[in-house]
């Protein structure tokens, strides 16, 4: 009985491990594109449109990161130069919609990953030998 329970548990554990690693290629690429855009590497266009009149009320083209907070506003951080950033707040109501268009496209590699070590976070270690 114990042997059967152990085999069933091992089977369930193996099945869980196999299912945890499942991710569609499109999900990985979409994540990478979003990350590139948030790192100011993709030129995009933000258009805020009055849905009542079909007229644009705001347009922004450039390399920017965008987030939508809970108070119906967009927080847009724009890179305007090397290490120079500006932040815009776009307030939305029930008659405005927004569209973000990827203008330049992004090259992303689904096999690429990056490991960064921050030198200031590494504690130096001195190794001494006592003979």
């Amino acid at each position: 009985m114990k042997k059967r329970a152990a085999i069933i548990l091992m089977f369930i554990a193996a099945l869980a491990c196999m299912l945890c690693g499942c991710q569609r290629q499109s999900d990985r690429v979409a994540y990478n594109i979003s990350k590139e855009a948030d790192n100011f590497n993709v030129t995009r266009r933000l258009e805020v449109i009055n849905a009542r009149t079909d007229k644009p009320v705001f347009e922004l083209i450039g390399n920017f990161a965008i987030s939508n907070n809970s108070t119906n506003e967009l927080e847009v951080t724009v890179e305007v130069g090397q290490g120079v950033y500006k932040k815009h707040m776009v307030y939305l109501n029930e008659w405005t919609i927004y569209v973000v268009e990827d203008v330049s496209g992004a090259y992303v590699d689904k096999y690429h990953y990056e490991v960064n070590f921050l030198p200031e976070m590494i504690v130096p270690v001195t190794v001494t030998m006592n003979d």
Side-chain angles (χ1 to χ4, degrees):
M1 185 69 179
K2 287 182 181 181
K3 189 174 184 180
R4 175 177 265 188
I7 291 174
I8 291 173
L9 249 111
M10 286 176 46
F11 177 74
I12 291 172
L15 184 63
C17 287
M18 286 188 297
L19 292 177
C20 288
C22 295
Q23 186 176 29
R24 296 184 317 187
Q25 180 178 350
S26 62
D27 293 336
R28 172 56 57 192
V29 170
Y31 171 80
N32 289 344
I33 290 172
S34 296
K35 188 172 180 179
E36 282 294 302
D38 287 340
N39 288 327
F40 307 106
N41 295 326
V42 177
T43 302
R44 301 189 290 179
R45 175 192 328 248
L46 167 66
E47 189 91 30
V48 179
I49 302 167
N50 184 332
R52 233 182 230 185
T53 64
D54 295 334
K55 303 285 185 206
V57 294
F58 182 78
E59 182 181 55
L60 176 68
I61 300 172
N63 294 0
F64 58 85
I66 188 170
S67 63
N68 191 350
N69 65 21
S70 62
T71 59
N72 288 336
E73 65 185 14
L74 300 176
E75 294 180 9
V76 184
T77 307
V78 183
E79 183 177 38
V80 294
Q82 185 68 31
V84 180
Y85 304 93
K86 291 187 178 183
K87 186 173 184 177
H88 302 283
M89 306 296 283
V90 180
Y91 294 95
L92 303 172
N93 60 30
E94 69 253 7
W95 293 105
T96 55
I97 58 173
Y98 72 95
V99 177
V100 178
E101 176 189 1
D102 184 352
V103 176
S104 66
Y107 171 74
V108 294
D109 185 358
K110 67 178 181 175
Y111 302 112
H112 178 77
Y113 72 96
E114 184 174 316
V115 177
N116 294 309
F117 291 100
L118 304 173
E120 62 271 7
M121 300 305 285
I122 298 175
V123 179
V125 176
T126 304
V127 177
T128 59
M129 293 181 62
N130 294 329
D131 289 342

